[in-house]
Amino acid sequence: SNSNSNSNSSGEIVVDVKEDIEEDEEAEKERLYNSRQDVTLDRAALKACAGISSRDIFYISTEEGVGKAPYFIARDVKKRSVVLSIRGTLSIADCVTDAMYKPTELDINLLGKDIAKKKFSGSQLHCHKGIAVVSDFIFNDLNRHRILDQVILGKEGTAEGDSIPLEVLAECRGWRLVLTGHSLGGATASVVALFLREKFPTLKVVAIEPPGGLLGAELAKETEKFCTSSVHGLDAITRLSGPTLLKLRSEVINALVRCKLSKFQLIRKLTTSRTALVESDVFNEDDTNATLPSEATSLLQSFNAFSERQILSDPNMAAPLYPPGELLYLRKVKRPRKEPASSSGNRRHLTKTVRRLNYEIWKIEAKDLMDRGFLVGPSFFIDHFPDTVAAVLGDLAASFGEADDEKEEEEDARLLDDWKTRRSEFAKRMSLPKSDSKQNVASDLDHLVDDFASS
């Protein structure tokens, strides 16, 4: 510190102390930015989980309820992207939103000129009603604060964007918009992207485990242009829709009427049998009325009649809806396939090992996924949990990165070997024959240079 001593009229000594505090430039910017923000636990948690700083966060909405979802806008400096991330199902209100399955028609005027030209109507514009309501909420909020316009397009913002440093705004101008979310959040991101795509034509959506019953077939096909979705293992939510629930119910009733064991007999066999049960131990060989008991036949006929009446009274419950985007199916396999990555039509796959499990990564069609319906198994719900999926996707991404690193190392080694070979050849050529004639030496050098240049 520097100190200067002066005497005033009363003889008192005044000491002015000046302290020089050296701080890292980024840390100082962070402190100044925090001083202008309402730092909450939500913001602190977001920074800790995402590994970003306050300067990277542009907006946080914590408003939630039926038909609403929290979301935030931040920047990914490494990818030069502005990210809009939407929270998935967490609260009871979110569960109510999920249950609002009845299809509703999206406003074609919000979907851009490309879709308007195709003149979609009716079921072609169908969308899960609850997710449509959440998408409208977020889209209206984006139009209110206009932070995406301010950050990416360089347009005038609102008071909520005043805290974003000018140098950050200048740096992010022209960056790509990426929308993402898990489950309810991923589905909402894909619908909001349909609303924003005309303004941000290069946008990208990464939907992690979105629900299967989201969009009509035509709109789901449109999202393949900008959206990629994951389907992990037996995840029930990615296969969930009205038709798949009806199919599961029908399969349960059929299994019930075909079962030839009482509940007590079935439990006893499951708990005491030393051998694994096979289908013939539990079910009749076929489900024709001729081989079924009269009570089972009557039950099946009553159920079929009820199911037909129910669908006739409310056709929307059987309306087919599909997940958004191109689908990557992360299929668990017990052992790695010996054959290399292959392709068959539109279905392509490769094999990766993650957490002692081998995964085949398939590109599949939405219609194939939904027509197959639920795959009931031990990980029926666990495969949907965000922490499970995040761990698998993270490890898969890292394994691809390791493969890229190995390829780069192999390429570097090949170039080094090639350079060593050429250097050795050049050294051999430089071993000129001994000659007393300077003219011969010059001639040999000329030939050497010509040969090396031609090589």
Side-chain angles (χ1 to χ4, degrees):
S1 63
N2 298 323
S3 61
N4 297 322
S5 299
N6 298 314
S7 297
N8 61 11
S9 57
S10 61
E12 295 178 352
I13 298 177
V14 178
V15 180
D16 297 325
V17 179
K18 297 180 180 178
E19 296 183 353
D20 297 325
I21 302 174
E22 294 183 359
E23 293 183 285
D24 180 80
E25 184 179 357
E26 288 301 318
E28 175 65 11
K29 290 180 180 179
E30 176 84 357
R31 184 186 67 78
L32 292 173
Y33 189 77
N34 282 333
S35 67
R36 300 194 299 267
Q37 301 299 312
D38 178 19
V39 181
T40 64
L41 287 177
D42 290 319
R43 180 179 289 273
L46 175 58
K47 289 166 59 179
C49 293
I52 56 181
S53 69
S54 290
R55 286 170 57 81
D56 297 325
I57 303 173
F58 300 147
Y59 180 78
I60 298 178
S61 171
T62 57
E63 190 172 354
E64 58 181 326
V66 178
K68 300 177 181 178
Y71 72 96
F72 71 88
I73 301 172
R75 65 171 179 168
D76 183 340
V77 177
K78 185 176 181 180
K79 298 292 185 181
R80 296 181 62 81
S81 300
V82 175
V83 180
L84 193 161
S85 180
I86 305 171
R87 196 188 75 183
T89 302
L90 183 65
S91 65
I92 297 297
D94 295 333
C95 293
V96 174
T97 300
D98 293 334
M100 296 165 59
Y101 173 80
K102 185 177 180 179
T104 186
E105 292 183 24
L106 294 178
D107 185 351
I108 195 170
N109 295 318
L110 297 177
L111 302 179
K113 296 178 181 178
D114 289 344
I115 295 179
K117 290 178 182 177
K118 298 179 180 180
K119 297 181 180 180
F120 289 167
S121 62
S123 62
Q124 295 175 318
L125 296 171
H126 270 177
C127 178
H128 181 293
K129 184 173 182 179
I131 294 170
V133 174
V134 178
S135 301
D136 283 338
F137 163 75
I138 292 179
F139 181 62
N140 291 332
D141 198 42
L142 293 173
N143 287 333
R144 179 187 60 80
H145 59 64
R146 300 201 302 274
I147 286 180
L148 291 180
D149 301 63
Q150 180 184 8
V151 173
I152 299 177
L153 304 179
K155 295 184 177 180
E156 184 178 354
T158 62
E160 292 180 270
D162 289 346
S163 59
I164 303 175
L166 293 177
E167 63 271 20
V168 173
L169 290 175
E171 182 181 0
C172 296
R173 187 169 300 176
W175 283 13
R176 168 183 276 189
L177 173 61
V178 176
L179 298 92
T180 189
H182 171 266
S183 190
L184 170 64
T188 304
S190 62
V191 177
V192 172
L194 283 170
F195 299 158
L196 295 175
R197 189 162 172 256
E198 189 165 20
K199 184 183 291 185
F200 303 98
T202 62
L203 65 73
K204 174 75 176 175
V205 177
V206 179
I208 302 172
E209 309 301 298
L214 177 62
L215 296 168
E218 291 79 8
L219 278 183
K221 194 70 177 177
E222 285 293 318
T223 62
E224 291 183 5
K225 299 174 182 177
F226 56 84
C227 177
T228 302
S229 299
S230 66
V231 179
H232 176 228
L234 303 182
D235 186 350
I237 305 302
T238 55
R239 298 169 171 86
L240 179 61
S241 71
T244 57
L245 282 174
L246 293 174
K247 184 174 185 291
L248 178 63
R249 184 179 70 173
S250 178
E251 289 174 346
V252 169
I253 295 297
N254 283 325
L256 176 63
V257 300
R258 289 179 56 208
C259 185
K260 59 186 181 182
L261 301 177
S262 67
K263 287 185 288 186
F264 175 76
Q265 290 173 323
L266 181 58
I267 292 173
R268 186 179 65 182
K269 282 183 173 291
L270 288 172
T271 55
T272 62
S273 179
R274 294 184 178 181
T275 58
L277 288 178
V278 295
E279 189 172 350
S280 60
D281 294 333
V282 181
F283 299 109
N284 290 306
E285 291 186 2
D286 58 63
D287 55 359
T288 60
N289 292 343
T291 60
L292 294 177
S294 59
E295 183 182 2
T297 302
S298 177
L299 173 62
L300 184 60
Q301 291 174 345
S302 298
F303 167 75
N304 289 336
F306 165 76
S307 181
E308 289 177 5
R309 289 195 306 271
Q310 188 182 38
I311 294 174
L312 284 173
S313 64
D314 187 6
N316 278 331
M317 69 182 301
L321 295 179
Y322 301 93
E326 289 191 330
L327 303 181
L328 296 182
Y329 176 34
L330 313 181
R331 178 175 179 265
K332 302 175 187 176
V333 290
K334 292 182 179 179
R335 59 181 63 86
R337 297 286 183 95
K338 292 183 178 180
E339 67 269 19
S342 63
S343 62
S344 176
N346 289 328
R347 294 171 38 148
R348 300 190 295 274
H349 83 275
L350 52 86
T351 303
K352 287 285 185 180
T353 301
V354 173
R355 295 175 180 262
R356 300 182 181 179
L357 288 172
N358 295 297
Y359 279 91
E360 288 181 346
I361 306 174
W362 289 77
K363 180 183 175 183
I364 59 174
E365 295 295 326
K367 189 176 186 305
D368 293 339
L369 178 73
M370 302 309 290
D371 287 349
R372 176 62 183 86
F374 291 107
L375 300 177
V376 180
S379 59
F380 192 59
F381 288 110
I382 295 174
D383 283 347
H384 183 71
F385 291 169
D387 53 341
T388 303
V389 182
V392 171
L393 290 176
D395 287 348
L396 282 172
S399 69
F400 278 101
E402 291 170 1
D404 292 340
D405 291 341
E406 290 175 0
K407 288 180 181 178
E408 289 182 4
E409 291 176 1
E410 291 175 359
E411 180 65 13
D412 291 342
R414 187 190 66 79
L415 291 174
L416 181 60
D417 290 341
D418 183 61
W419 177 77
K420 288 180 178 179
T421 301
R422 291 178 65 84
R423 185 183 65 174
S424 177
E425 292 176 355
F426 182 76
K428 289 179 180 179
R429 292 184 180 186
M430 287 299 292
S431 300
L432 301 177
K434 292 182 180 180
S435 173
D436 294 334
S437 170
K438 293 182 180 180
Q439 184 177 357
N440 291 341
V441 172
S443 177
D444 288 335
L445 283 173
D446 289 338
H447 288 306
L448 178 62
V449 172
D450 292 338
D451 291 343
F452 190 74
S454 64
S455 66

